[in-house]
Amino acid sequence: MEDEVVLLASSSSAVVSMNGGGEGNTSYADNSNFQQLIASVTRKARRDMAAALYRARGRPASLAIADLGCATGPNALLMVSDAVDAVLAESKSGGDEGAPQLHVFLNDLPANDFNAVFRLLPSSPLAGTGCLVSAWPGSFYRRVFPDASLDYVVSSSSLHFLSKAPSMATEHLNRGRVHVTEAGPAAVLDAYRAQFHADFLAFLSCRAAETRARGLLLLTFVARRDARPTAHDCYLWDLLADALMDMAAAGLVDEEKVHSFNAPYYAPCPDDLARVIAKEGSFALRTMQLFDTTRRRLLGPSHPTSDGDDDDEFPRWLAAETAGTYRQGSRRAYAADPLRLGRHGRALLQVPPPARGILPQEVYQEQG
Amino acid sequence: MEDEVVLLASSSSAVVSMNGGGEGNTSYADNSNFQQLIASVTRKARRDMAAALYRARGRPASLAIADLGCATGPNALLMVSDAVDAVLAESKSGGDEGAPQLHVFLNDLPANDFNAVFRLLPSSPLAGTGCLVSAWPGSFYRRVFPDASLDYVVSSSSLHFLSKAPSMATEHLNRGRVHVTEAGPAAVLDAYRAQFHADFLAFLSCRAAETRARGLLLLTFVARRDARPTAHDCYLWDLLADALMDMAAAGLVDEEKVHSFNAPYYAPCPDDLARVIAKEGSFALRTMQLFDTTRRRLLGPSHPTSDGDDDDEFPRWLAAETAGTYRQGSRRAYAADPLRLGRHGRALLQVPPPARGILPQEVYQEQG
């Protein structure tokens, strides 16, 4: 019982991080299949972008690839391995004399189990590639890397975690709930949105200093489709709140703490992302894509869900992928010197250069 | 019993690393007082060199400081903290407008407990300095860091560990011994020396690629005074070999394994260091100093040893400190553009520029 009380008391103010790479029911390493599925859906786009960046840079002698919020367990090296493999394949197919020296920068909070990540290296796809791997502990809402040290920055399934729970006008504004709800007060959604905007702005501002000219960010969030959250978007948080209130009724947790607790988590809609990117101003939005990540969609229609539930009853989580290109000098320079992204097809090439102070955005829904 | 056999069987071929940052009798974190004492003896020289490097570089906006073989526990941040503190103090006393951005690169083998090091950061002297910390796992006998990424490289009490046990002409050349001995065959000493020379050459060659022009290496070894090891130099290894042979006689370990086992450890003499530095050719030796590190010397004459033994009976371990300056272009350029090391006093300034293909060396024994 004490455990639950502590959880509720501390999570609202402390930074929340994943559990370690160990075993057991609470091991993140053993409970990150969903994150892995998101990664598999975005894999081709990520590989193509890494190869395109390498070409656009004129096949440089070295390239720095970072994963922000790499976590631990089997997913920790997934993002960087895909990028490394894509760049080396591009280097080979392009007939480079020697392979580029690739630097892999892994970031997560200081409590992340980096030891477990390092133990995976010898058996990972990075082994034998000659790339140099490093770990940079710290919140990605602050500075992590040296000035102008990164070329290709990936963050997958991390940026929906806020730096802290949002500040509410009154402590019990979100009584009996732990997150935004479909029918909840607008002030709760506003508070969550404001916290996300502040955090994402800080993230972009730090990365702007750390990313080299014409570097690329590729960010994957759990997202929602529309500005107003639907019942589906809030489904799991509603379930959790109901469970906590039942526990409070049974005397297992303090009801006041359930009322005051708000999870530091926000799944942005595309408009949230575009607004903050425009406001921060260092990056130009190249493409934004919504991936449907219901379990059935991910596993394929012929793959029955393990518990026999109708998957359509589950929320349609969306992974929104945002690629921003860092620029230096005037915004117009972007149009004159676009990345050569021929392999990405029409959608990416159609993104117009920024104009009228508003960055362009196009949102694509995957054809299911 | 099984444990001892495994130790002997595997240590001769596998890379040996320190135990973790945990608790208990075998915790490196709890058993690294000697390394800490060596660090305290060399502290002033290390601080002075870091400050001098910062001045010589023209007070740059950023500086990269690395510790190779940082290990874990309370010593892991000692080297870099001293350097960071010295540079920031120099920046402040010199009236810089803003403090430089300092990058701290920590290296050790992949099995090192980096998690424990990261946990120490918030309570370390690095907290609040704004420096960016990273961990780079890998053997420092191979490439660890990107090209030309380091300015000030420290390695303390690490380079006497060989990459592997030396190859002997015959397996049982060193029967009943686990290391060089005063009266042992010259071929054993030759094999150890050859392995050290190969390893140290590889170390310097990798660091030459990774260190920026006019960067500085500051290396501290356990060392011996003369080319021929004395009984004092071999004392602890002889004790260990005697103990193992006693255990073999009692049937606790396999005697054949004691005969074939050789510890991957070599305490070089100054001539070893100077020769390899000259052979590798990328670094100019600026100063070499021998520190007397008997316990009584370190703790002070008024400090009785805990067990009442006469400390003079113990081997006089020597910590040899070597500072090499990386150069680019002709070797003569070094004389024309020396580091401004006014604070180091006469000894360092007297080191002549390299000439006649042989690098200069001066060995100072601390005035006790």
Side-chain angles (χ1 to χ4, degrees), chain A residues 87-282:
Chain A
V87 170
L88 292 181
E90 174 64 31
S91 168
K92 198 173 177 185
S93 73
D96 293 356
E97 272 194 26
Q101 189 186 58
L102 299 181
H103 311 145
V104 166
F105 294 175
L106 301 169
N107 157 260
D108 210 302
L109 290 168
N112 187 53
D113 191 350
F114 286 108
N115 287 354
V117 179
F118 290 160
R119 277 197 299 272
L120 290 175
L121 283 173
S123 59
S124 81
L126 295 178
T129 62
C131 68
L132 304 172
V133 179
S134 55
W136 300 72
S139 165
F140 52 45
Y141 294 125
R142 291 196 285 271
R143 284 295 301 274
V144 175
F145 303 101
D147 286 346
S149 58
L150 308 178
D151 295 299
Y152 182 76
V153 180
V154 183
S155 180
S156 181
S157 302
S158 295
L159 277 160
H160 40 248
F161 290 109
L162 302 173
S163 69
K164 60 178 183 178
S167 304
M168 302 283 174
T170 61
E171 195 191 357
H172 289 179
L173 186 62
N174 207 19
R175 284 181 70 84
R177 303 287 93 188
V178 297
H179 194 250
V180 293
T181 50
E182 186 191 18
V188 172
L189 178 59
D190 290 345
Y192 266 96
R193 187 190 290 116
Q195 184 62 50
F196 175 81
H197 281 212
D199 283 342
F200 190 43
L201 192 82
F203 175 89
L204 291 175
S205 174
C206 292
R207 300 300 87 73
E210 295 165 356
T211 309
R212 296 191 181 119
R214 296 200 296 154
L216 196 77
L217 306 191
L218 203 157
L219 314 175
T220 309
F221 309 72
V222 173
R224 65 182 197 276
R225 208 176 292 269
D226 303 306
R228 189 78 211 164
T230 66
H232 265 159
D233 295 328
C234 310
Y235 182 74
L236 279 187
W237 295 108
D238 286 345
L239 274 184
L240 182 60
D242 289 346
L244 285 168
M245 286 302 284
D246 285 350
M247 290 170 74
L252 294 171
V253 296
D254 181 348
E255 185 177 325
E256 288 303 303
K257 287 189 169 159
V258 179
H259 293 330
S260 64
F261 177 77
N262 291 293
Y265 180 98
Y266 180 80
C269 66
D271 184 60
D272 286 324
L273 301 176
R275 276 177 193 270
V276 180
I277 292 168
K279 184 177 178 189
E280 196 280 327
S282 302

Side-chain angles (χ1 to χ4, degrees), chain A residues 113-115 132 134-135 143, chain B residues 101 113-115 132 134-135 145:
Chain A
D113 191 350
F114 286 108
N115 287 354
L132 304 172
S134 55
R143 284 295 301 274
Chain B
Q101 189 186 58
D113 191 350
F114 286 107
N115 287 355
L132 304 172
S134 55
F145 303 101

